[in-house]
Amino acid sequence: MKATAAVLVADRTFDFRELAVPDAPPAGGAILQVEGCGMCGSDIEQYKGGTAKAGIGAFPVIPGHEILGRIHSLDADGARRWGVAEGDRVAVHGVAPCGVCPSCMNGSKCVDAFYYGFRSLNDRSGLWGGYGSYMEVEPRTRLYRIAEDLSVEDALLFNPFAAGFDWVIRLGKLQVGETVLILGGGQRGLASVLAAKDAGASQIIVTGLQRDAFKLEIALQFGATHTLIAEETDIAVAIADLTSGRGVDLVIDTTPNAFQPVTDAIKAVRNGGRIVLGGIKGHKDMPEFPIDELLMKQIEMIGALSSSHWGVQQAIRLVEEKRYPVHLMHTHSVPIEGVERAIQTLAGEVPGDPALHISIIHKH
Ligand SMILES: [Zn+2]
Ligand SMILES: [Zn+2]
């Protein structure tokens, strides 16, 4: 049996290949028939060569770390540990931690994790990413059964939505009735809106750029109470107005490559409030940081990376409950042959074609 895969062989260079699928699953693991794969900023970074330069994975590689599929084969040990059977539909956590290093044991970032979508094509079958139509699943992988009645596109939202729950609830500790400011209206921003709504926030205020007006419309449909256009608004003043001068309880920054939102967060949060930083700033340092304001206000500031087991569970629950119009997130569904243009679209390199959530769908 062969898998069809988009192999990233160098920066901005895909090669489409047919690769042999192992006859048997790895010991304690499984072979997955990949239904679809989502994408995010990490796919863009990888495509441009940024992650390889940073030492995360190297070419050639089959990318794709937001994976949905069906168990094609697995051995008795895998079946027993995961509680799944051949034919089951599962979401795959893209990070496979070792489970036993000191970091794993205290619940932080594993020192020996491997990352689906970043493992070398030269390692065994090479089928380690969701841009391939089949994939090997290692025993240490976290798998989640997911409802059959969801579209591939809806099911794939488990990945961005997981981050929303982690950032707003697990790290941001949002309580019922609290107010939250979400900076940025992309996938992670909208996921944060859903998590905040689901947890009973009283005010959910979302910022976006002028060109993101359609995303702010979706934010309102997901439960946001106010939206603000960043270029037209002094965020700190607007938040003071909306909260009777008190400031919000929690701020979530999801904006990439921008420092102003970090300053806005410190100004907009209440005394003793919390800020979760989830927007990567391109490995650049912030030139001016209002540290005195941070400590005078006794602000708690937390860095967020990826999502936890708990976040994925909550995201799957939310999608399966069908209480929110999550399909509004979908802007593009493409076959694997269209992956390169899809990445460029997500990166904003295709004029006149704004993207929010893109699904790659494999044919079987
Ligand atoms: Zn991702
Ligand atoms: Zn570990």
Side-chain angles (χ1 to χ4, degrees):
M1 193 169 61
K2 296 277 189 192
T4 308
V7 180
L8 192 62
V9 294
D11 303 13
R12 293 181 171 269
T13 312
F14 275 108
D15 189 13
F16 292 89
R17 294 189 195 167
E18 301 271 300
L19 297 160
V21 178
D23 292 331
I31 301 287
L32 190 76
Q33 184 189 65
V34 181
E35 277 194 80
C37 188
M39 51 174 66
C40 71
S42 301
D43 295 76
I44 299 170
E45 271 292 294
Q46 186 177 26
Y47 172 66
K48 292 179 175 172
T51 49
K53 258 188 225 108
I56 306 161
F59 307 121
V61 62
I62 301 175
H65 60 278
E66 304 187 3
I67 302 150
L68 174 78
R70 210 168 273 290
I71 303 284
H72 174 73
S73 62
L74 83 168
D75 67 14
D77 190 30
R80 180 178 54 77
R81 278 183 302 103
W82 280 316
V84 299
E86 286 177 8
D88 281 354
R89 189 183 214 190
V90 291
V92 180
H93 199 300
V95 183
C98 75
V100 293
C101 73
S103 297
C104 275
M105 289 196 291
N106 73 23
S108 59
K109 186 181 171 189
C110 176
V111 299
D112 191 32
F114 86 82
Y115 297 82
Y116 284 101
F118 294 90
R119 186 165 171 176
S120 172
L121 185 75
N122 300 322
D123 192 352
R124 298 191 347 223
S125 71
L127 300 172
W128 304 113
Y131 292 12
S133 61
Y134 284 87
M135 206 178 79
E136 279 197 70
V137 180
E138 290 274 50
R140 58 158 86 171
T141 305
R142 293 171 285 181
L143 295 181
Y144 305 83
R145 291 188 59 176
I146 191 162
E148 289 287 342
D149 65 349
L150 297 173
S151 66
V152 177
E153 288 90 342
D154 280 1
L156 284 173
L157 293 171
F158 82 87
N159 190 290
F161 289 176
F165 279 99
D166 274 305
W167 299 2
V168 174
I169 318 291
R170 186 173 63 84
L171 299 170
K173 304 183 198 78
L174 181 83
Q175 302 289 310
V176 172
E178 283 194 323
T179 54
V180 57
L181 168 64
I182 296 163
L183 299 164
Q187 287 190 49
R188 262 53 182 185
L190 293 174
S192 297
V193 173
L194 283 174
K197 178 72 182 169
D198 203 55
S202 61
Q203 274 187 313
I204 303 171
I205 305 151
V206 186
T207 70
L209 301 173
Q210 278 157 349
R211 64 164 189 263
D212 297 328
F214 83 101
K215 299 177 186 173
L216 296 181
E217 276 304 311
I218 297 171
L220 291 170
Q221 301 212 43
F222 282 0
T225 53
H226 305 83
T227 60
L228 303 170
I229 303 288
E231 296 100 321
E232 298 169 358
T233 314
D234 182 320
I235 301 297
V237 171
I239 293 300
D241 282 350
L242 289 169
T243 59
S244 310
R246 182 170 170 269
V248 290
D249 297 298
L250 172 66
V251 184
I252 311 290
D253 177 34
T254 71
T255 62
N257 306 316
F259 296 126
Q260 183 60 40
V262 179
T263 305
D264 290 341
I266 291 168
K267 294 193 182 306
V269 80
R270 69 164 164 84
N271 287 334
R274 291 98 59 203
I275 298 172
V276 175
L277 297 181
I280 277 270
K281 307 302 185 190
H283 303 285
K284 292 189 196 74
D285 291 338
M286 190 164 161
E288 285 176 42
F289 187 86
I291 193 157
D292 285 354
E293 195 163 350
L294 183 98
L295 64 91
M296 293 294 178
K297 289 175 79 173
Q298 297 177 283
I299 294 165
E300 189 179 344
M301 189 177 256
I302 306 150
L305 179 75
S306 185
S307 42
S308 70
H309 166 66
W310 175 84
V312 173
Q313 288 179 309
Q314 296 310 311
I316 290 174
R317 170 186 61 77
L318 181 130
V319 177
E320 289 184 343
E321 284 175 357
K322 300 183 179 169
R323 291 193 292 123
Y324 301 94
V326 298
H327 65 274
L328 297 172
M329 294 280 288
H330 310 315
T331 52
H332 299 73
S333 294
V334 299
I336 189 61
E337 296 78 17
V339 68
E340 183 153 22
R341 187 173 169 89
I343 294 172
Q344 292 165 353
T345 305
L346 190 65
E349 295 177 5
V350 180
D353 191 9
L356 189 48
H357 186 261
I358 298 182
S359 302
I360 294 167
I361 313 279
H362 288 286
K363 286 190 292 283
H364 287 285

